[in-house]
Amino acid sequence: MQNSTSEYRLEMSGISKRFGVVSVLENVNLKVKHGEIHALLGENGAGKSTLMKILSGVHQKDAGRVVLNGKEIAPKNTHDGQVLGINVVYQELSLVNDLSVAENIYLHKLGASKFWMNWKKINKDAQELIDSLGFKIDATAKVRDLSIVQKQVVEIAKAISEDTEILVLDEPTTVFDPTDTQKLFDNLFKLKERGISIIYISHHLEEIFKIADTVTVLRDGVDTGSIPVKETDTDGVIQLMIGRKLEDLYPERNSTLGGAPIFEVKNLSAKDTLVHDVSFAVRPGEVLGIAGLGGSGRTETAKLIFGADRKKSGQIFLNGEEIATRSPSEAVDHNIGLVSENRKEEGVFLPLSIQKNISVTDFSAISGKFGFINAENESKNVNNLIEKLNIKTPSAEVPVKNLSGGNQQKVALAKWLSIDSKVILIDEPTRGVDVGAKVEIYSLINEVAQNGVGVIVISSDMPEIMGIADRILVMHEGTIYGELSKEEFTEENILRFAIGEPLKK
Amino acid sequence: MASSSKEQLSSPGGILPFLIKYNTVFIFVLLVVFSAFISDVFFTSVNLSNLLKQVSGIGIISIGMLIVILTGGIDLSVGSMIALLAVAFALLVNIFALPLAILMTIAIGFSLGSVSGYLVAYQKMAPFIATLALMTVARGLAFIYSKGSPITFDTYGGLYMSNFANNSFLGIPNIAIVFFIIVILAMIMLRYNVFGRVIIAIGSNEEASRLSGLKVNKYKFLVYAISGALAAIAAIIVASRTNLGSPNMGMAWELDAIAAVVIGGASLSGGRGTAINTLMGVLILGLISNILNLLNVPSYPQQVVKGAIIIFAVLLQRFENK
Ligand SMILES: Nc1ncnc2c1ncn2[C@@H]1O[C@H](COP(=O)(O)OP(=O)(O)OP(=O)(O)O)[C@@H](O)[C@H]1O
Ligand SMILES: [Mg+2]
């Protein structure tokens, strides 16, 4: 049975797939060796996730062969895939919010086991598994109460089991800070030593050079071949991905900052989260970065300002006047916008069209008296943004759930960039976005700032935040620990503040 | 390489995808053709106008049910509301001038709906529970105010209404015209107005709606209030047809309304559904009863057939969602 002559554990060859009339994959080949980490790269919408979903049984291929350990396979659903030892951490979170961490981890095995659950054992095993990964999560906690980072860890734990042969990670680190990412890499190296083959998808190219052995690049549904990582570099990979060289990743910051702050918060504290005594000011035209480790309260601060969480005390000033933001709708009335980090649950309406998603923040611009929508204005506005952000779609009527992850992120951004904001809070602007589109988004942020908007960007991606911000605040344990001016921007300085230590002299 | 049958299935011009997309219309047409074949009374104007009169009341509350379901909620109170509001209208029309009695009844319906709306939107009560409570309260009140027996119209205003309810304009029953106007209004509001956009957004992702700055609570409150007001209009129509308001009216109508909305392809978890398809759902349910009555099928087997059709319709929609 075992085809011992092949050095590959997995061979996917000639894979084609279309959704309706749209062809997504054409004659794609992917070969993965035993115990290797194989990076799969490509622009948003190139077909990476689709290829992996064919491997795991979510989608069925239209043509081609998949050979695992010398045997042709054709999983019809994810259960078939799991039985074959193919485990996938999908790009979108797929946990059951109302179940515990342990229940989620063993969910796919529950049906197969005996009639009675041994909860004690399940909880203990789950706890051991998480501990062994090096993360701190209580296995009996409800998934609903976890942070997005913790949820991602649970997703990963769920995919690792005794009989995993192939582990697919589809953009696993988008929500991680550098320390979390390092922990994940340590674990991947351990799994690799056990002989597990890992397919790794990411838009953080530097990660690829840290961990991968081989890289395969997909471009518009066609593979451009596989090469050993040693034989290429970032520029080479980008060239393969987008077909051209990329000049500058970060735009020139040349906006003139206004004198008086457009936006200011004083001693803001939250009722239900760890955020306390947050004070800062943003000037018109300024891009203010907020850095910090996962769980340091960055997202919670943004939500507090936006009125999505309840405040205990503190003041907010817009153009020098005190305002109240007791709810998001009040914040929006004051022209404050928030792009959420959690795209699927808080950012987009998956079943609705791109058009309906983008228009939702600004009905006043497209509707007349009595709220009737001017279809012409609406589609003009929407198509403009689709073009500007380079959203890959056949039309504005496509439901957002049919877009690739990165293109969904662009929709989440577009919805706020379309309106006349005075202040815009962007939590992880380029989560899951490819390099080419990152450049677009950065220059868009730049453009928004140049129009005199106060832009607050939260990011775990340190090169990114250093590349686009004029000033960086670093949060630690729910409050702002330190501030870095442009000359002080280094990864080390950010990290020192992030763990609560002063800068080195 | 790709099998040709698959391509046929997914090409936009094929006949099967067309049928799947317009499955509610398809079932409706199928039923009409079937009815016409099986009974020669079916296509008489008397029968058709009877059919329309029968569905108008349920049709109107189905539209209210649709907008509640679009937000991801449900309104179980509408059947009992019809009883209470029919009794209220009969009492009011015997005291006040007709236009005033109509307005007051609608205002009561709106207020009762507001109670559900308040509990759901501002007290975060589950819609099922809040409206279940209201359902019991409304039926109880209907019996209390009517003292357990029907109240007949005995003024000129009441007689005028029952005349209106039993007459036609250009061959179409007046009350069906009221129903159709409500359907058209709902269609316009859902499709071209911000109102529709917002409630569909709420139904498809409530948290994202809140974080988009939409006034989620206000709209959730509003849909139950509107559903109550529509129940009042339905109650006035139903009472006027028989010239009386009875506490036994509208028994289990909320279930028929839910069935109509679901047959019309709406998703009970919210965010999907249209007024036209709900109209189709209402007509399909009405047709089934009508043809079974024409065939003299007793009412118990009728219920079985009805249930089977609901299952069939919903199964067909499965394909559409694929
Ligand atoms: N269920 C679906 N129906 C229709 N089109 C789809 C569906 N799923 C994906 N697509 C389309 O297939 C293409 C490839 O999507 P895929 O998710 O594989 O991209 P990706 O390479 O993973 O991109 P990203 O980096 O943004 O995650 C996209 O154009 C997307 O719009
Ligand atoms: Mg993807």
Side-chain angles (χ1 to χ4, degrees):
Chain A
M1 288 225 306
Q2 178 109 6
N3 184 351
S4 52
T5 54
S6 172
E7 56 172 324
Y8 297 106
R9 168 175 274 156
L10 172 74
E11 291 177 72
M12 299 181 83
S13 45
I15 307 291
S16 296
K17 172 76 185 171
R18 37 175 66 227
F19 289 111
V21 291
V22 187
S23 173
V24 174
L25 295 171
E26 268 171 63
N27 201 7
V28 171
N29 302 298
L30 179 69
K31 293 186 177 149
V32 185
K33 292 180 195 151
H34 291 261
E36 90 164 332
I37 300 185
H38 194 117
L40 184 58
L41 304 180
E43 283 186 286
N44 296 133
K48 305 178 294 293
S49 301
T50 307
L51 186 64
M52 292 303 102
K53 285 179 181 167
I54 286 173
L55 175 62
S56 71
V58 175
H59 293 318
Q60 269 63 53
K61 59 186 184 296
D62 295 338
R65 270 164 60 88
V66 182
V67 176
L68 179 68
N69 292 326
K71 248 176 44 184
E72 180 158 0
I73 59 165
K76 291 202 171 42
N77 49 51
T78 52
H79 181 75
D80 288 359
Q82 275 160 4
V83 170
L84 290 162
I86 300 167
N87 285 323
V88 182
V89 176
Y90 293 100
Q91 192 170 2
E92 303 295 350
L93 291 173
S94 55
L95 299 175
V96 184
N97 268 329
D98 293 307
L99 295 185
S100 74
V101 170
E103 286 165 326
N104 266 283
I105 290 179
Y106 290 107
L107 193 58
H108 56 292
K109 301 196 188 102
L110 289 184
S113 65
K114 293 183 297 285
F115 189 65
W116 297 105
M117 299 282 107
N118 184 347
W119 287 118
K120 229 177 176 169
K121 182 168 184 316
I122 287 176
N123 285 338
K124 191 167 140 275
D125 288 355
Q127 193 66 58
E128 272 169 16
L129 179 57
I130 289 171
D131 291 347
S132 77
L133 294 177
F135 289 91
K136 284 199 185 64
I137 303 171
D138 175 8
T140 58
K142 281 260 181 303
V143 163
R144 182 181 300 289
D145 301 326
L146 302 185
S147 73
I148 190 163
V149 172
Q150 292 173 318
K151 284 183 187 174
Q152 181 67 14
V153 173
V154 176
E155 286 279 3
I156 293 169
K158 199 174 133 186
I160 298 174
S161 79
E162 289 296 300
D163 31 53
T164 301
E165 300 221 8
I166 304 215
L167 175 65
V168 178
L169 297 146
D170 195 346
E171 302 194 33
T173 59
T174 45
V175 301
F176 284 174
D177 67 29
T179 50
D180 298 328
T181 303
Q182 193 49 51
K183 273 188 220 162
L184 174 67
F185 289 172
D186 295 343
N187 286 306
L188 294 187
F189 287 129
K190 270 189 247 162
L191 294 172
K192 181 180 157 171
E193 241 148 60
R194 267 168 52 188
I196 293 176
S197 305
I198 297 169
I199 302 177
Y200 190 90
I201 301 178
S202 177
H203 290 293
H204 294 292
L205 299 181
E206 73 283 356
E207 293 178 0
I208 305 307
F209 294 95
K210 272 193 201 145
I211 59 164
D213 304 300
T214 314
V215 30
T216 297
V217 176
L218 281 186
R219 191 156 117 214
D220 282 337
V222 183
D223 73 285
T224 59
S226 306
I227 30 172
V229 164
K230 285 194 281 298
E231 289 170 23
T232 183
D233 57 8
T234 313
D235 286 340
V237 170
I238 291 178
Q239 175 99 37
L240 281 178
M241 273 171 68
I242 63 179
R244 61 186 159 90
K245 276 224 174 68
L246 206 59
E247 292 309 327
D248 285 315
L249 191 49
Y250 304 105
E252 188 72 29
R253 294 276 305 125
N254 58 358
S255 60
T256 40
L257 304 191
I262 186 169
F263 185 71
E264 197 173 357
V265 300
K266 282 189 186 155
N267 299 318
L268 208 57
S269 296
K271 212 172 209 164
D272 312 300
T273 68
L274 76 175
V275 177
H276 61 94
D277 299 309
V278 171
S279 302
F280 66 84
V282 196
R283 288 186 285 167
E286 185 176 34
V287 178
L288 176 68
I290 301 185
L293 298 181
S296 61
R298 295 166 303 172
T299 295
E300 291 78 1
T301 301
K303 283 194 165 178
L304 193 62
I305 291 170
F306 191 60
D309 285 350
R310 292 187 297 170
K311 298 178 192 62
K312 194 166 76 190
S313 58
Q315 294 167 294
I316 298 180
F317 298 89
L318 186 67
N319 282 325
E321 264 176 55
E322 182 164 4
I323 58 165
T325 55
R326 280 163 303 217
S327 67
S329 73
E330 255 183 346
V332 172
D333 286 344
H334 287 297
N335 298 38
I336 299 173
L338 167 72
V339 179
S340 164
E341 64 163 350
N342 188 350
R343 170 169 78 222
K344 184 182 166 193
E345 285 168 14
E346 302 177 346
V348 294
F349 304 89
L350 288 174
L352 302 186
S353 69
I354 299 175
Q355 173 152 325
K356 285 185 178 156
N357 266 274
I358 292 180
S359 300
V360 80
T361 45
D362 194 20
F363 288 124
S364 59
I366 55 162
S367 62
K369 243 199 214 151
F370 307 118
F372 284 98
I373 293 168
N374 180 329
E376 205 175 312
N377 276 356
E378 178 175 29
S379 76
K380 207 163 67 192
N381 182 24
V382 168
N383 286 319
N384 232 337
L385 283 158
I386 289 179
E387 203 173 309
K388 204 164 179 180
L389 285 161
N390 202 4
I391 298 173
K392 199 184 163 202
T393 176
S395 88
E397 301 297 330
V398 172
V400 166
K401 66 166 186 271
N402 286 359
L403 296 181
S404 76
N407 284 302
Q408 292 182 4
Q409 176 69 17
K410 293 185 206 167
V411 172
L413 266 170
K415 140 180 158 187
W416 289 108
L417 295 178
S418 69
I419 70 169
D420 288 326
S421 303
K422 292 194 178 116
V423 179
I424 178 160
L425 301 141
I426 310 180
D427 199 354
E428 304 291 354
T430 59
R431 182 164 278 174
V433 168
D434 69 45
V435 268
K438 270 183 191 165
V439 177
E440 311 276 338
I441 289 175
Y442 297 148
S443 60
L444 211 69
I445 289 176
N446 209 20
E447 197 184 308
V448 169
Q450 264 163 21
N451 291 336
V453 175
V455 182
I456 301 167
V457 176
I458 297 172
S459 176
S460 302
D461 182 341
M462 292 204 280
E464 168 174 292
I465 203 158
M466 292 190 291
I468 60 174
D470 298 314
R471 193 158 53 95
I472 296 176
L473 307 175
V474 186
M475 289 195 71
H476 174 69
E477 293 186 344
T479 195
I480 291 169
Y481 188 83
E483 177 176 334
L484 298 168
S485 61
K486 199 127 199 171
E487 310 77 62
E488 300 170 304
F489 284 5
T490 63
E491 297 207 4
E492 197 199 331
N493 283 350
I494 294 179
L495 274 177
R496 290 197 81 88
F497 276 160
I499 57 173
E501 279 178 23
L503 298 188
K504 263 204 203 122
K505 284 279 141 45
Chain B
M1 267 189 274
S3 68
S4 59
S5 68
K6 253 200 181 122
E7 262 171 37
Q8 275 245 312
L9 237 173
S10 50
S11 77
I15 179 83
L16 200 55
F18 180 82
L19 288 186
I20 287 172
K21 180 148 188 241
Y22 296 101
N23 61 73
T24 352
V25 183
F26 169 62
I27 295 176
F28 174 69
V29 172
L30 211 68
L31 276 171
V32 171
V33 173
F34 177 76
S35 312
F37 260 106
I38 213 150
S39 149
D40 32 348
V41 198
F42 177 76
F43 256 124
T44 57
S45 63
V46 176
N47 182 51
L48 288 182
S49 104
N50 254 339
L51 168 66
L52 286 179
K53 279 185 198 161
Q54 265 152 18
V55 299
S56 294
I58 287 188
I60 291 170
I61 57 169
S62 299
I63 294 296
M65 188 66 77
L66 169 69
I67 62 170
V68 172
I69 284 178
L70 278 174
T71 65
I74 193 121
D75 188 352
L76 297 179
S77 70
V78 286
S80 306
M81 294 262 261
I82 288 206
L84 176 58
L85 292 160
V87 168
F89 180 67
L91 289 170
L92 291 168
V93 84
N94 288 345
I95 303 171
F96 300 104
L98 178 63
L100 193 60
I102 291 177
L103 280 181
M104 286 168 82
T105 310
I106 294 177
I108 296 171
F110 189 88
S111 312
L112 287 171
S114 300
V115 175
S116 307
Y118 170 77
L119 293 174
V120 172
Y122 296 100
Q123 294 301 325
K124 311 290 170 219
M125 212 181 261
F128 189 94
I129 306 296
T131 59
L132 184 69
L134 232 85
M135 164 176 151
T136 320
V137 171
R139 184 71 68 186
L141 288 176
F143 276 99
I144 292 173
Y145 285 119
S146 65
K147 303 199 175 67
S149 46
I151 295 167
T152 25
F153 298 177
D154 51 19
T155 55
Y156 176 74
L159 292 179
Y160 180 90
M161 258 328 270
S162 70
N163 242 333
F164 172 83
N166 289 300
N167 275 325
S168 300
F169 178 72
L170 300 178
I172 306 172
N174 288 336
I175 58 174
I177 293 177
V178 174
F179 170 40
F180 291 149
I181 289 175
I182 288 172
V183 171
I184 291 168
L185 281 179
M187 198 183 88
I188 292 173
M189 291 304 283
L190 290 179
R191 215 191 264 175
Y192 302 108
N193 196 282
V194 171
F195 175 82
R197 285 292 180 87
V198 174
I199 65 172
I200 286 168
I202 292 172
S204 68
N205 188 341
E206 190 169 328
E207 188 57 15
S209 303
R210 195 170 77 96
L211 291 176
S212 298
L214 301 181
K215 296 190 168 63
V216 172
N217 288 343
K218 178 179 127 184
Y219 281 90
K220 277 171 82 175
F221 171 84
L222 212 56
V223 291
Y224 290 92
I226 292 173
S227 174
L230 289 174
I233 297 175
I236 294 170
I237 280 175
V238 173
S240 302
R241 272 190 76 198
T242 48
N243 214 14
L244 53 82
S246 149
N248 288 309
M249 281 173 163
M251 212 52 106
W253 277 24
E254 63 279 349
L255 299 182
D256 275 354
I258 294 169
V261 172
V262 169
I263 291 175
S267 151
L268 278 185
S269 53
R272 207 181 72 228
T274 66
I276 287 296
N277 278 339
T278 296
L279 169 65
M280 287 296 148
V282 170
L283 292 177
I284 287 171
L285 278 181
L287 266 174
I288 296 169
S289 310
N290 182 259
I291 188 68
L292 293 176
N293 280 338
L294 291 181
L295 295 177
N296 288 323
V297 178
S299 82
Y300 295 136
Q302 274 199 26
Q303 293 180 3
V304 176
V305 175
K306 238 183 190 172
I309 301 251
I310 294 175
I311 293 172
F312 176 66
V314 174
L315 280 180
L316 237 141
Q317 285 153 17
R318 281 278 179 75
F319 290 105
E320 183 189 24
N321 299 336
K322 279 273 161 72

